Amino acid sequence: SATGRVDFFYTLTSVALLESGTINADSRYDEQANDIYYNGKKIGRTGHPAGANVNVVSALEHSANGFFYYFSQEFADTPQDGWDVLKDYAEQFGVGQPMGGDLYGAKRGNLPDSDRVWAQNLAMLAIGQGRMEATPLEMARVYACVANRGTLVVPHLTEECIYYPQQLDVSDETWDLVHEGLRDVVFGQYGTANDYPVLKRIRCAGKTGTAENGKGIPDHSWFAGFAPYDDPQVAFVILAANSDLFGAEVSPVIGECIERYLKRTGVLEDK
C-alpha cells in the first residue's frame, strides 16, 4: 500500500504523552487562539481552536491541533530528544517497521531522523504532518492495537502463516482515556465525525484526518477506527488520496462497509 501523511496520528501521540508521563488525565491546555505558542515562540497555527480547558479526551474529540502542538514540546528538553520519545512509541506500534507474517515486501512508513527536527517541526510531527509518512495498512494495525488494548497484530494472508503478535506495555488508564476520546469523535457534541448516522449504528470509535500535501496539491482525507467500541470486532482505515475532502466526509463510505460486515457476522441485527 502507498504511503502518505497521517493527520490522525493524534491517537498514537496521546498514548505517548500519557505513557511517558508528559501529561495525565488532568492536564489542560487553553486553545483559544489560532496561533499556538510555547515559551513565547510560535510553534504552529490551527484553524479551529477548541476553546479553554482542553484535556486529552476533548483534544481527540475536537481534533485539537494546539493541544498536541503544545504538549509535544514537553516530551523532553529539546525537540530532537522529544521526537526520539515519540518516534519510539510510533515504532512500538509498528510504524516504519517490518510486519512479519506473509506480506513480503510490504511498504513501510517513514519516520525522520531526530537531527532533522526542530520545535515547529516536532509540533507538526505530533499530528502526523511534516516529514512523517505511514501506510494505510500500518495505521489499520495501529488502530487494531488500540482497539484490543495493546495487542499488536500481524497482518497475514493465509491461515498457515506463522506470526507472533506482540503485547505492548500500556496502562489501562491510558486505554480508557484514548477510547473515550475516540468514541467522542463520533458521539460527542463537538466530535469531528458526529454527523453520520451509520457511524453511530455500528458504535464506531475513530479519528478523522486531513493531511496537507503542500501548495497546489489536493489534501489526503483519512478516517480510521474500530467497531463496535464496546466489543471491537474490526479495525479499519480509509484513505481518499488527493481528494481535497475533510476526513469526516469519507467516513460514511467505510462505515457502510463495516455495517454490512457486522450484520453478516451477526454482531449487528440485520433489520
Side-chain angles (χ1 to χ4, degrees):
S1 55
T3 57
R5 292 187 174 94
V6 283
D7 193 33
F8 54 82
F9 202 73
Y10 309 78
T11 303
L12 204 157
T13 301
S14 297
V15 173
L17 287 168
L18 290 162
E19 286 298 297
S20 65
T22 305
I23 67 170
N24 58 40
D26 297 321
S27 299
R28 296 289 195 275
Y29 177 70
D30 287 340
E31 188 179 296
Q32 301 195 70
N34 295 103
D35 294 328
I36 311 300
Y37 290 85
Y38 183 81
N39 286 344
K41 178 187 291 187
K42 182 178 175 181
I43 55 172
R45 182 174 174 81
T46 179
H48 49 89
N53 211 32
V54 178
N55 64 8
V56 67
V57 172
S58 54
L60 288 167
E61 177 186 358
H62 284 83
S63 202
N65 291 345
F67 179 93
F68 295 101
Y69 288 167
Y70 182 87
F71 282 114
S72 66
Q73 309 301 311
E74 305 234 303
F75 272 124
D77 291 337
T78 69
Q80 295 77 25
D81 289 343
W83 172 238
D84 282 340
V85 175
L86 180 53
K87 182 180 179 182
D88 179 66
Y89 279 94
E91 289 175 342
Q92 288 183 48
F93 278 80
V95 179
Q97 303 301 299
M99 288 193 182
D102 56 4
L103 293 176
Y104 305 113
K107 287 188 176 181
R108 304 184 202 174
N110 175 62
L111 301 173
D113 294 331
S114 57
D115 61 3
R116 304 184 69 182
V117 173
W118 59 98
Q120 294 88 345
N121 185 232
L122 175 59
M124 296 300 289
L125 288 167
I127 66 165
Q129 297 277 15
R131 294 183 175 272
M132 176 187 296
E133 292 183 332
T135 71
L137 183 57
E138 283 179 326
M139 296 313 297
R141 193 183 185 200
V142 167
Y143 275 82
C145 187
V146 172
N148 60 39
R149 302 172 73 91
T151 301
L152 185 64
V153 300
V154 179
H156 56 281
L157 297 173
T158 63
E159 292 183 356
E160 294 79 12
C161 174
I162 298 174
Y163 57 92
Y164 302 97
Q166 303 171 51
Q167 186 64 39
L168 304 188
D169 184 14
V170 175
S171 70
D172 287 339
E173 181 184 13
T174 290
W175 290 131
D176 290 344
L177 292 167
V178 170
H179 279 221
E180 182 180 355
L182 295 178
R183 285 196 305 272
D184 286 350
V185 169
V186 175
F187 292 91
Q189 181 180 357
Y190 303 103
T192 54
N194 69 357
D195 286 337
Y196 302 100
V198 65
L199 300 182
K200 293 180 170 65
R201 291 198 301 269
I202 65 174
R203 305 197 302 279
C204 178
K207 187 73 191 74
T208 59
T210 305
E212 299 173 356
N213 292 308
K215 187 176 181 179
I217 303 174
D219 295 340
H220 297 327
S221 299
W222 296 78
F223 185 71
F226 55 89
Y229 64 74
D230 50 351
D231 183 22
Q233 300 296 312
V234 60
F236 51 83
V237 169
I238 183 171
L239 165 64
N242 301 119
S243 63
D244 214 20
L245 298 170
F246 295 108
E249 293 176 309
V250 301
S251 63
V253 177
I254 189 66
E256 290 174 5
C257 295
I258 299 304
E259 183 176 39
R260 287 194 289 271
Y261 171 78
L262 294 177
K263 286 181 176 179
R264 191 169 65 246
T265 56
V267 175
L268 295 180
E269 184 178 351
D270 190 359
K271 296 181 180 179

